[in-house]
Amino acid sequence: MAGWSEAVEDARIALMSLADRMEGLTNPTLRLGVTGLSRAGKTIFTTALIHALTKGGRLPVFEASGRIARAALEPQPDDAVARFAYEDHLATLAKARAWPSSTTRVSELRLLVRYASPRGAMRTLTLDLVDYPGEWLLDLPLLDMGFSDFARQSLELARAPARAALAGPFLAALAATDPARPADEAKARELAGHFTAYLAACRAETVAMSLLPPGRFLMPGELEGSPALTFAPLDPRPKGFPSGSLGAMMERRFEAYKSAVVRPFFRNHFARLDRQIVLVDALAALNAGPAALADLERALDGILAAFRTGRNSLVSALFRPRIEKVLFAATKADHLHRTSHDRLEAILARLVERARGRAKQGGAALDVVALAAIRATREARVTRGGHELSAIVGTPEAGQEAGGHVFDGEEEVAVFPGELPTDPDALFDPSGAGFRGLASAHADEADFRFLRFRPPAGIGADKPIPHIRLDRALQFLLGDRLA
Ligand code: GDP
């Protein structure tokens, strides 16, 4: 049966892809995916991008921007997908000087960009932005896995030193479970509850782990409490689980997760993207420590694997996944002084390079950038004890703490964010001794401590919003299509 349903799936994807392409012939259209793990900066990036295009941002490197005559919001193309709440997000930034709420589901928005071609003719590009949780992207490799592969990988991670303590209650519940016993809903819920709590604990600020499939366990949306989300990995058995057992039930639910959650996402959203930006909060991993950085690297492996999904088992030659450009972007670069922006980029390049070496992937063009979609700080030189130091000035969010001082959300301060190393290798010491993070024994000696700042004052409907290197990102993602 699986073979047949996959063939139907192939045909559906091919048809949708064809329909998208036919539309693209008469009306050039680009679908740009914006993704990244929770709190990586998707909502802020998407809001800033729309604002820059529709209101004319300062985008010197985005050469074509001089030729954009007008960009306007249009009704979005897919009736069953939420609209990206651009106006609400902008109002929160402008009126409350607060960050808007983050992405928890897929949402879309369509822009019509009028531009002058090099020969002077006016042309139109339809730009569809698709904002979706990176956790869902990390689910795509599950399509190529059976329950035992998933369980093996997932338990290996849970038992690794960096996570074993967080997974303690789940692993204890697992040890007390005999998966060959008859299926039992209460037991399934108990295990799934512990497993979900473990995944959530991995996201805490001091731990900042990245690789946490299945993604919907942390972002269940309307599926909360459904059987497809009520399973947990179990130690595989060579002969499998007897029918009617708890193990067989978990296996069935894992398959249901793939068919009810992962496949529709692949078909309806992912397979239709032309280009993709993956936002990465590398600073959060640096705050937390070497284990978080290593985990981020594994997550990037998973993300690169996602871009290959469909090349193997899922879809036949009928359908070519069409993502042609992928930009990895380290966000929140405004937490660093200018001197460290290239270093942040080098760290990300190093993370992506290593993952790419393993993924052996061809196809999509890759690039990396360090950016701040909305710049919340400015730079200053401060003299301390006769030395001139590079500082950044901003308003830390209420409750943020540095050197025993708790900020009230109003006071503006100059901070010395600490420099990133010139050689990224310094951070990747295999023994984990590259640097100290909040997760280490002496959290107060952490090498990096990036405060959270409020958005800048003075964001208004028609004024450009300050940013760092947003223009470079746009140039890579869109520049050639506006030429
Ligand atoms: P999402 O979960 O990926 O949608 O993440 P958001 O876009 O909501 O960003 C999460 C948080 O990161 C925001 O609430 C801000 O605190 C912070 N953030 C995101 N982008 C920037 C940026 O460009 N500069 C600064 N200073 N903070 C940012």
Side-chain angles (χ1 to χ4, degrees), residues 38-44 99 102-103 332 334-335 372-374 376:
S38 150
R39 303 202 58 78
K42 300 177 289 296
T43 307
I44 302 303
W99 300 107
S102 298
T103 301
K332 312 182 194 178
D334 57 331
H335 287 70
I374 297 185

Side-chain angles (χ1 to χ4, degrees), residues 207-236:
V207 189
M209 295 290 167
S210 303
L211 185 60
L212 306 162
R216 292 301 159 99
F217 279 50
L218 293 177
M219 296 219 171
E222 72 288 359
L223 289 169
E224 187 154 18
S226 68
L229 263 55
T230 311
F231 68 91
L234 301 170
D235 285 299

Side-chain angles (χ1 to χ4, degrees), residues 155 179 188-189 256 350 391:
L155 292 174
R189 288 167 57 107
R350 154 93 198 220

Side-chain angles (χ1 to χ4, degrees), residues 201-208 284-285 287-289 400 438-439 449-450 452:
C202 288
R203 283 303 285 164
E205 197 180 357
T206 50
V207 189
N287 266 342
Q400 289 287 291
L438 294 172
R449 186 75 191 98
F450 300 106
R452 282 211 297 275

Side-chain angles (χ1 to χ4, degrees), residues 438-482:
L438 294 172
S440 72
H442 305 285
D444 38 335
E445 294 173 4
D447 286 316
F448 305 105
R449 186 75 191 98
F450 300 106
L451 293 174
R452 282 211 297 275
F453 295 97
R454 287 181 69 187
I459 292 182
D462 289 324
K463 275 199 295 180
I465 301 178
H467 65 83
I468 296 169
R469 298 184 180 178
L470 181 64
D471 50 342
R472 282 195 18 201
L474 294 184
Q475 178 58 23
F476 177 78
L477 292 168
L478 309 176
D480 59 321
R481 292 297 301 267
L482 297 176

Side-chain angles (χ1 to χ4, degrees), residues 347-373:
I347 292 167
L348 183 63
R350 154 93 198 220
L351 284 165
V352 172
E353 251 342 289
R354 298 208 326 184
R356 177 154 67 164
R358 278 187 292 270
K360 289 193 195 65
Q361 80 144 46
L366 297 190
D367 202 359
V368 297
V369 67
L371 60 77

